[in-house]
């Protein structure tokens, strides 16, 4: 299991789908009921996000938006600014590299204690079974808290204690990503062939020894692929953390946008696109066929080790600062300020209104992203090996560049762009998240289409059907189940990311969080974060129920 699509689905709350067995009845009726229900919810969300006066578009903003896109052909190429952009790019990569290393270490350490394998009862005694089941649930709950808090929130809290220390971004990435990685690695442990593990246990080995020598060696390829996928995500998170004050390309984007320096902004955007393209290409090479992957995996590990050394050298962190008495005092004060959590001004009504707004933003964003993702993925999917060069190949390349650009720009930048032409409120935040998520889903959808059996589509083309018709009737129905599953998985992530567009004023709990941070209302921030976790948990449960009913 090393495909990007399969690995990302392991992050979802529920267990993986069982293979479709012979005679299994496809639950079409439930699918249609869920689809109708989703349309109702989408209508409710859309109406709820409209501004009170019903006026959505700001006509005066079109000139600003046109001016922004016009500068795409005139980026700032002054040597001094290019050096600044290069330094910022190195800082962003260093944040991502060290954050990923921290996440993988936490994942490896935490995975056994989150796996069913570790907590499997060794005897039939009821007390022992209950205790072990309780241990499994407790481990999952403990990991759910850091996983549910977005890395931007971790960054905001750590910046308030340590200022612009380079390790703030590293730790802000490592903590939530480490919890997610531990969850995925525990799923890999549970899905692995357990015969070597059982043989070691029968021979008297302890659980940790049996896991280390019986399971981990076989999981190394999948674990390495997932670590690289986390690195891709860490690059995007490092940019977002830069926008909340950690430094790097995100900070440069924020400063350029605040000064309306579009030429400088596009220089940073092109740096992000080139960085994203390089990471995409590297990941694609790692996920290619098994025979080719071994040599590339060793080469990638060597490059990764070199990047770790260079990242430490570039950031020059001062670990002593983190263990100083002043830092300990600041952390104690932060804990005392956060506990107990408090309600915002306006009480439960205000918190509930913001939570509903956040839920509506996530629904509209994922609906927009899924629809656009399907349409573009059918074009962006790569042609089978040996296909002749054609206009469709060129169109597919262009579609993949659009997907690369949309996911390279972080959601706050998309939010600021949408705010040019849409009046402020939660609606532009939802649209920005939808555009950003479209870039990610479009890539995943394209991978699904590429892995489909091409013979039905080729048969339709051979019978005279147009390529678009063949895709719609042969490829789309075969891929529909996987597309829905990926959309539901991404809905859970989108709900967490509403906080990112909220901090630039786009609405929801994120905006409330930013207002509370500006007012140093730490108890209120703690209450808002808990509300955000509750919304994410609700989305997880609904997503899990939909996926379970469609199996």
């Amino acid at each position: 299991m090393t495909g990007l699509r399969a690995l990302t689905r392991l992050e979802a709350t529920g267990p993986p789908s069982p293979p479709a067995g012979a005679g299994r009845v496809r639950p079409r009726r439930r699918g249609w009921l869920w689809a109708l229900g989703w349309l109702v919810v989408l209508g409710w969300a859309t109406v709820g996000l409209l501004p009170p006066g019903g006026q959505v578009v700001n006509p005066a903003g079109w000139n600003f938006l046109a001016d922004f896109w016009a500068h795409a052909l005139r980026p700032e190429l002054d040597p001094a600014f290019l050096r600044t952009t290069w330094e910022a790019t190195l800082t962003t990569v260093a944040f991502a590299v060290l954050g990923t290393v921290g996440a993988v270490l936490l994942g490896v350490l935490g995975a056994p204690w989150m796996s069913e394998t570790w907590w499997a009862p060794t005897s039939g005694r009821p007390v022992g079974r209950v205790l072990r089941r309780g241990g499994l649930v407790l481990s999952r709950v403990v990991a759910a808290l850091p996983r549910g808090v977005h890395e931007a929130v971790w960054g905001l809290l750590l910046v308030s204690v340590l200022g612009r220390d380079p390790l703030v971004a590293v730790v802000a990435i490592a903590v939530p990503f480490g919890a997610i990685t531990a969850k995925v690695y525990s799923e890999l442990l549970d899905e692995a062939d357990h015969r070597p593990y059982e043989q070691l246990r029968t021979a008297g080995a302890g659980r940790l020894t049996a896991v280390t020598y019986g399971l981990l060696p076989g999981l190394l390829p999948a674990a390495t692929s997932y670590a690289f996928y986390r690195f891709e995500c860490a690059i995007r998170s490092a940019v977002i953390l830069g926008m909340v004050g950690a430094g790097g390309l995100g900070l440069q984007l924020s400063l350029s946008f605040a000064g309306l320096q579009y030429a400088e902004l596009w220089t940073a955007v092109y740096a992000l696109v080139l960085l994203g393209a390089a990471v995409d290409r590297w990941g694609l090479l790692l996920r290619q066929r098994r025979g080719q992957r071994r040599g590339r995996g060793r080469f990638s590990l060597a490059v990764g080790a070199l990047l770790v050394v260079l990242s430490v050298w570039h950031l020059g962190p001062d670990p002593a600062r983190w263990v100083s008495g002043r830092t300990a005092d600041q952390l104690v004060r932060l804990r005392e300020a956060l506990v107990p959590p408090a309600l915002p001004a306006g009480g439960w009504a205000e918190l509930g209104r913001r939570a509903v707004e956040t839920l509506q933003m996530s629904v509209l964003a994922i609906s927009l992203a899924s629809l656009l993702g399907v349409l573009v993925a059918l074009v962006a999917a790569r042609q089978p090996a040996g296909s002749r060069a054609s206009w469709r190949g060129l169109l597919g390349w262009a579609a993949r560049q659009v997907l690369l650009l949309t996911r390279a720009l972080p959601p706050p930048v998309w939010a600021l762009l949408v705010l040019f032409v849409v009046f402020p409120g939660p609606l532009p935040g939802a649209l920005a998240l939808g555009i950003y998520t479209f870039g990610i889903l479009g890539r995943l959808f394209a991978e699904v289409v590429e892995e489909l059996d091409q013979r039905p589509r080729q048969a339709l083309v051979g019978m005279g059907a147009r390529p678009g018709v063949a895709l719609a009737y042969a490829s789309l129905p075969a891929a529909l189940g996987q597309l829905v599953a990926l959309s539901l998985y991404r809905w859970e992530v989108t709900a967490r990311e509403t906080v990112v567009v909220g901090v630039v004023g786009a609405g929801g709990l994120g905006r409330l969080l930013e207002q509370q941070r500006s007012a140093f209302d730490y108890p209120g921030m703690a209450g808002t974060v808990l509300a955000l976790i509750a919304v994410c948990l609700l989305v997880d449960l609904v997503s899990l129920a939909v996926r379970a009913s469609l199996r």
Side-chain angles (χ1 to χ4, degrees), residues 115-497:
S115 68
E116 294 184 17
T117 302
W118 183 267
W119 294 103
T122 53
S123 67
R125 289 183 299 178
V127 175
R129 296 177 70 88
V130 170
L131 288 177
R132 289 204 163 270
R133 192 66 188 172
L136 175 63
V137 172
L138 180 62
S139 67
R140 296 291 178 100
V141 170
V142 168
L145 182 61
R147 200 170 71 233
V149 179
H150 195 279
E151 47 272 21
V153 177
W154 285 107
L156 289 172
L157 293 175
L158 290 172
V159 163
S160 66
V161 174
L162 293 158
R164 288 186 56 192
D165 188 283
L167 286 181
V168 164
V170 174
V171 175
I173 291 172
V175 171
F177 279 23
I180 296 171
T181 304
K183 195 260 183 187
V184 171
Y185 283 4
S186 70
E187 299 279 0
L188 291 175
L189 282 175
D190 291 336
E191 288 185 16
D193 180 3
H194 277 58
R195 283 175 294 183
Y197 171 83
E198 297 297 342
Q199 288 172 357
L200 286 170
R201 289 286 289 156
T202 304
R207 290 178 188 271
L208 186 58
T209 303
V211 167
T212 304
Y213 292 99
L215 296 180
L216 290 186
L219 299 179
L220 197 57
T224 304
S225 285
Y226 183 76
F228 196 85
Y229 166 69
R230 269 293 127 203
F231 174 58
E232 297 176 33
C233 299
I235 291 279
R236 293 190 284 268
S237 295
V239 177
I240 292 172
L241 286 162
M243 299 191 75
V244 298
L249 276 174
L251 181 62
Q252 187 170 321
L253 282 170
S254 296
L255 295 175
S256 299
F257 219 119
L260 298 181
Q261 300 296 319
Y262 297 143
E264 294 182 0
L265 190 62
W266 272 105
T267 303
V269 168
Y270 286 133
L272 273 176
V273 170
L274 289 176
L275 182 59
V279 173
D280 274 4
R281 187 64 185 168
W282 190 2
L284 185 64
L285 291 175
L286 272 179
R287 288 189 287 270
Q288 281 181 340
R289 294 181 179 176
R290 186 179 299 275
Q292 302 170 324
R293 205 172 48 223
R294 179 168 296 178
R296 290 169 180 169
R298 290 174 180 168
F299 174 76
S300 295
L301 285 176
V303 173
L306 179 62
L307 282 176
V308 170
V309 174
L310 292 176
S311 298
V312 173
W313 174 77
H314 177 74
L315 293 180
D318 180 12
R321 187 178 176 189
W322 280 68
V323 295
S324 67
R326 179 185 174 280
T327 300
D329 290 341
Q330 292 278 12
L331 286 174
V332 169
R333 289 179 186 175
L334 180 63
R335 181 184 61 79
E336 292 174 348
L338 291 170
V339 180
L343 292 170
W348 285 106
E350 176 65 9
L351 193 64
R353 185 179 72 81
R354 297 285 190 173
V356 169
E357 209 170 71
T358 299
L359 187 61
Q360 291 172 324
M361 289 169 66
S362 70
V363 170
L364 181 59
I366 198 61
S367 302
L368 177 66
S370 300
L371 178 61
L372 293 177
V374 169
L375 295 176
V376 176
L378 293 176
V379 181
R382 287 181 172 81
Q383 296 288 307
S387 300
R388 292 181 179 177
S390 64
W391 63 269
R392 189 173 181 277
L394 183 61
L395 198 60
W397 178 86
R400 289 193 290 276
Q401 306 319 302
V402 170
L403 293 174
L404 178 61
L405 175 64
T406 49
R407 67 174 180 271
L409 283 180
V413 172
W414 284 116
L416 293 170
L417 289 175
V418 175
L419 279 169
F420 277 148
V421 293
V422 178
F423 283 110
L427 181 62
L431 295 177
L433 273 178
I435 295 170
Y436 171 73
T437 309
F438 149 69
I440 297 173
L441 271 184
R443 177 193 174 193
L444 295 174
F445 287 176
E447 185 180 323
V448 171
V449 175
E450 288 167 6
E451 292 181 0
L452 288 175
D453 184 355
Q454 300 297 324
R455 288 173 296 183
R457 185 180 65 82
Q458 291 168 351
L460 284 178
V461 172
M463 294 168 65
R466 298 174 68 86
V469 174
L471 277 172
Y473 284 91
S475 300
L476 192 56
L480 190 59
Q482 297 183 66
L483 303 187
V484 170
L486 285 170
S487 298
L488 289 170
Y489 150 69
R490 196 64 207 178
W491 182 33
E492 301 166 14
V493 180
T494 303
R496 288 179 71 240
E497 291 185 335

Side-chain angles (χ1 to χ4, degrees), residues 88-114:
T89 304
L90 293 180
T91 301
T92 298
V93 172
F95 288 162
V97 168
L98 297 183
T100 304
V101 170
V104 171
L105 289 176
L106 290 174
V108 170
L109 293 174
W113 285 270
M114 291 179 65

